[in-house]
Amino acid sequence: PARHFDTKTTEPISFFLSGLEELLAWQPDSNDDFNISAVPLAKRQPPLHSRRPRTLVCHDMRGGYLEDRFIQGSATRNPYVFYHWRYIDIFIYFSHHTVTIPPVCWTNAAHRNGVPVLGTFITEWKDGEKLCEAFLAAGAEAYRAVAEQLARIAQHYRFDGWLVNIENTLSAGAVGNLPPFLRHLTAQVHSAVPGGLVIWYDSVLQNGALRWQNELTEENRVFFEACDGLFTNYNWKEEHLERTRALAGPRHDDVYVGVDVFARGDVIGGGFDTDKSLRLIRQHGLSAAIFAPGWVYEHLGEENFLHNENKFWSSLAEYLPTHSICTLPLATSFSLGMGTSRFLDGKEEEAGPWYDLSAQEIQPLYPEHKGRLSTSCCLQDAWCGGSSLRVQGTIPAGEEHMAIRLFSLQMPAPPKLFLTLLYKLEGPNPEEFTVALELTTWDSGTCHEGNITSLPAEPNGRHHPRFLPAPPPGLAKLLATCDRGSHGWTSRCYELDLQDCSLRDLSLLVSCHQPSPREMPFTCLLGEVRVLDAATLAASPPEVQSLSASQLWWQ
């Protein structure tokens, strides 16, 4: 069927639904299997419902369902990717189709990095008015059927809920049923999808008029109270934020203040001035909804996209509370889900562009310190996948090392950890540097390294895992790369014993052999990092049972 498969290539594709009839007629179908997310939502700290200002990203690009619709990837040169997942809380896939089901590759990439994904339910213009009459004004049975279908769709494709965007005027009969519709949808989504969400876009008022408020008001509050959050329109000033904060009360972090990166209309900030909007939003303790950050790609061009993307997000980093990983194992080769080649074990296996966000790996923090440190993606060389992480920095004169924070962690440390690292030093004199991993723990009186008789950890909780020249017995297969690099990559294994500790940060430690009177610039590519709990490695993995294959097409 054309909905599920591309008519030119027959490849499986992601799709949307148009109109009320298609929504109500939808039911699970065996052709759907490709569209069901295969990656469960990873746990992270702090969890979404904690009371702190959040950051939502709403992705709206050229009508949606571009190359990202190809579920098994495509040979796209310079595609759009998003990878600053550590800095955001919620990802919305937006289009102007009635029911926007997020392409499964986005759900997979976001979930792997702990971010929930929402689809969009939108009605607009004259057609929208008719649609709303048909399902809202018609009464409880009709609007409950729509709510239940939307919840079923999210549950079936394993994404996390909906943005509801009613952008047309409503009759008295329709608007009267809108709050009970939202309440029913929210209840259904909560019960069908663990951690599910419904967010309302600031558009119609309780009298049915279409009038964007740019804030929470007495006129739109009834919709905010019926669901999990309000996404405001973009043309606000500081007084709007003050009034919103006062009216929202304890739910102020459920108000996502809209920021249009394209800066359309009378807005504060946008483009590389988006930080101005965020500064004000955070001063009032509100959450932010960053709309169309694809501006970086669409406006500044595809060629220099990765450089500009890092510049854009690092300009906002001060206002974006980050998230910590809270489960082991942690393993990543930093691949963005795209590349100009495919690499395996440090060797180029296949040249040519590729794009598949489902293959994106866990993404790190991307720390930047002007003039002293930058982290970016390197497409020219990788250990596995399409890219490695390039860390460029300068060790100041007279200092011995520099620690580059890759991941924030928040979990109890197991008694024994194994860590592995694959790296490649570039530049004129790589022999002047050594590279290792550093783990920090939260400062507590009880935490110490090794067994009970060994000394407590350094007071700042910095731990330097012991280098293992060869893998320990029984783990030779998993840690086979301990002592062998290849194609210029160096491989290292480490172990660390901790007691009563809580993990805090994983950093890359770059040192020079002795302090130098001059600054020491370095470039290091990271190909893979793993942090493993020794106890779970010792247990044999469960056997795969009852494997079946379907939808095969041999070429």
Side-chain angles (χ1 to χ4, degrees):
R3 177 188 285 174
H4 293 89
F5 300 96
D6 186 66
T7 48
K8 291 192 189 73
T9 66
T10 77
E11 291 170 285
I13 51 173
S14 292
F15 60 85
F16 51 85
L17 302 175
S18 299
L20 198 54
E21 279 177 31
E22 279 194 15
L23 168 60
L24 293 172
W26 175 87
Q27 53 192 27
D29 177 312
S30 61
N31 291 309
D32 275 340
D33 292 352
F34 293 112
N35 269 294
I36 296 171
S37 170
V39 182
L41 180 59
K43 288 190 171 70
R44 58 185 346 203
Q45 285 290 342
L48 187 66
H49 50 75
S50 26
R51 305 299 339 171
R52 70 167 189 174
R54 305 182 197 109
T55 308
L56 173 161
V57 159
C58 188
H59 171 62
D60 174 21
M61 186 175 281
R62 299 172 186 160
Y65 301 96
L66 307 173
E67 291 80 9
D68 54 5
R69 75 185 185 278
F70 290 104
I71 294 167
Q72 295 172 337
S74 63
T76 305
R77 198 174 294 283
N78 299 322
Y80 176 73
V81 290
F82 179 83
Y83 49 94
H84 286 82
W85 300 109
R86 300 271 136 244
Y87 301 87
I88 76 164
D89 296 86
I90 299 165
F91 182 87
I92 296 176
Y93 193 89
F94 183 91
S95 83
H96 288 275
H97 303 289
T98 313
V99 179
T100 298
I101 299 168
V104 66
C105 63
W106 281 105
T107 308
N108 287 338
H111 279 187
R112 189 169 288 122
N113 286 281
V115 175
V117 177
L118 308 187
T120 306
F121 176 57
I122 189 171
T123 69
E124 48 191 346
W125 313 108
K126 280 279 174 239
D127 286 345
E129 282 182 46
K130 286 185 196 141
L131 195 150
C132 290
E133 276 300 298
F135 90 92
L136 284 172
E141 198 179 327
Y143 71 68
R144 289 173 78 92
V146 168
E148 285 154 24
Q149 277 294 74
L150 290 171
R152 269 199 289 269
I153 287 169
Q155 180 185 42
H156 180 69
Y157 296 115
R158 297 187 192 158
F159 61 97
D160 306 286
W162 296 98
L163 172 69
V164 178
N165 189 356
I166 306 290
E167 298 223 41
N168 46 257
T169 54
L170 295 175
S171 68
V175 80
N177 280 331
L178 189 48
F181 162 70
L182 281 175
R183 280 193 292 273
H184 191 58
L185 174 61
T186 304
Q188 290 291 311
V189 166
H190 288 181
S191 77
V193 180
L197 286 172
V198 174
I199 292 176
W200 169 256
Y201 185 74
D202 155 30
S203 50
V204 296
L205 308 182
Q206 62 186 10
N207 65 4
L210 176 62
R211 207 161 56 240
W212 298 270
Q213 300 293 286
N214 308 297
E215 61 179 315
L216 176 65
T217 67
E218 291 295 353
E219 300 290 308
N220 61 18
R221 182 181 182 170
V222 60
F223 309 122
F224 173 59
E225 287 170 351
C227 66
D228 297 306
L230 168 74
F231 178 155
T232 78
N233 193 44
Y234 314 102
N235 302 311
W236 48 266
K237 295 286 177 279
E238 193 166 3
E239 56 267 26
H240 294 86
L241 304 182
E242 287 164 7
R243 292 193 295 261
T244 294
R245 172 71 204 240
L247 192 58
R251 283 190 70 200
H252 55 87
D253 26 350
D254 293 335
V255 179
Y256 300 85
V257 180
V259 178
D260 180 5
V261 182
F262 277 86
R264 290 162 281 211
D266 180 15
V267 301
I268 293 170
F272 282 121
D273 289 328
T274 299
D275 59 317
K276 292 178 180 162
S277 319
L278 282 180
R279 185 182 312 123
L280 284 173
I281 292 167
R282 297 308 194 210
Q283 277 169 7
H284 294 280
L286 299 167
S287 291
I290 300 173
F291 182 75
W295 170 85
V296 175
Y297 181 85
E298 293 188 66
H299 182 73
L300 301 175
E302 301 168 10
E303 290 301 319
N304 214 11
F305 167 61
L306 293 173
H307 170 78
N308 288 327
E309 182 76 344
N310 287 344
K311 182 180 162 188
F312 176 77
W313 287 97
S314 75
S315 75
L316 307 180
E318 187 186 338
Y319 306 107
L320 303 176
T322 56
H323 295 83
S324 307
I325 287 175
C326 61
T327 52
L328 293 180
L330 164 59
T332 182
S333 64
F334 305 103
S335 181
L336 293 185
M338 59 159 287
T340 48
S341 304
R342 287 178 192 269
F343 294 85
L344 186 62
D345 293 342
K347 178 170 163 279
E348 185 182 68
E349 290 272 292
E350 194 182 350
W354 64 277
Y355 173 51
D356 181 358
L357 282 171
S358 290
Q360 188 183 88
E361 302 231 349
I362 293 174
Q363 293 300 306
L365 297 162
Y366 280 84
E368 296 277 333
H369 299 292
K370 278 211 172 70
R372 284 198 41 221
L373 171 70
S374 80
T375 42
S376 58
C377 156
C378 171
L379 295 170
Q380 292 71 42
D381 197 357
W383 175 254
C384 178
S387 53
S388 56
L389 189 71
R390 183 192 278 115
V391 179
Q392 287 173 295
T394 302
I395 299 176
E399 292 192 17
E400 285 181 50
H401 58 250
M402 184 177 202
I404 299 100
R405 188 165 163 250
L406 299 175
F407 291 98
S408 165
L409 309 171
Q410 199 172 325
M411 63 186 118
K416 187 192 256 314
L417 287 164
F418 289 117
L419 299 92
T420 69
L421 169 67
L422 273 149
Y423 70 90
K424 184 184 274 196
L425 280 163
E426 293 192 322
N429 32 350
E431 66 290 338
E432 293 187 5
F433 299 97
T434 54
V435 177
L437 291 172
E438 175 180 277
L439 265 176
T440 57
T441 52
W442 293 93
D443 201 16
S444 83
T446 59
C447 170
H448 57 264
E449 256 183 65
N451 58 25
I452 211 84
T453 56
S454 58
L455 293 168
E458 294 181 43
N460 55 7
R462 292 177 185 279
H463 306 272
H464 301 109
R466 281 185 304 285
F467 170 59
L468 288 174
L475 292 177
K477 226 173 174 173
L478 186 75
L479 304 183
T481 52
C482 281
D483 48 355
R484 74 168 179 86
S486 62
H487 302 284
W489 291 88
T490 303
S491 176
R492 291 278 182 262
C493 284
Y494 307 90
E495 66 177 348
L496 179 63
D497 298 313
L498 293 171
Q499 287 206 337
D500 300 324
C501 300
S502 186
L503 300 179
R504 182 176 186 169
D505 285 316
L506 175 67
S507 299
L508 183 73
L509 194 66
V510 180
S511 315
C512 38
H513 297 304
Q514 62 253 10
S516 163
R518 58 190 174 83
E519 292 189 330
M520 299 284 283
F522 64 86
T523 300
C524 178
L525 298 184
L526 290 190
E528 184 185 75
V529 169
R530 295 187 294 178
V531 182
L532 311 167
D533 175 354
T536 57
L537 298 186
S540 54
E543 282 189 14
V544 175
Q545 304 279 340
S546 50
L547 182 71
S548 69
S550 62
Q551 301 283 6
L552 298 179
W553 182 45
W554 298 102
Q555 294 191 68

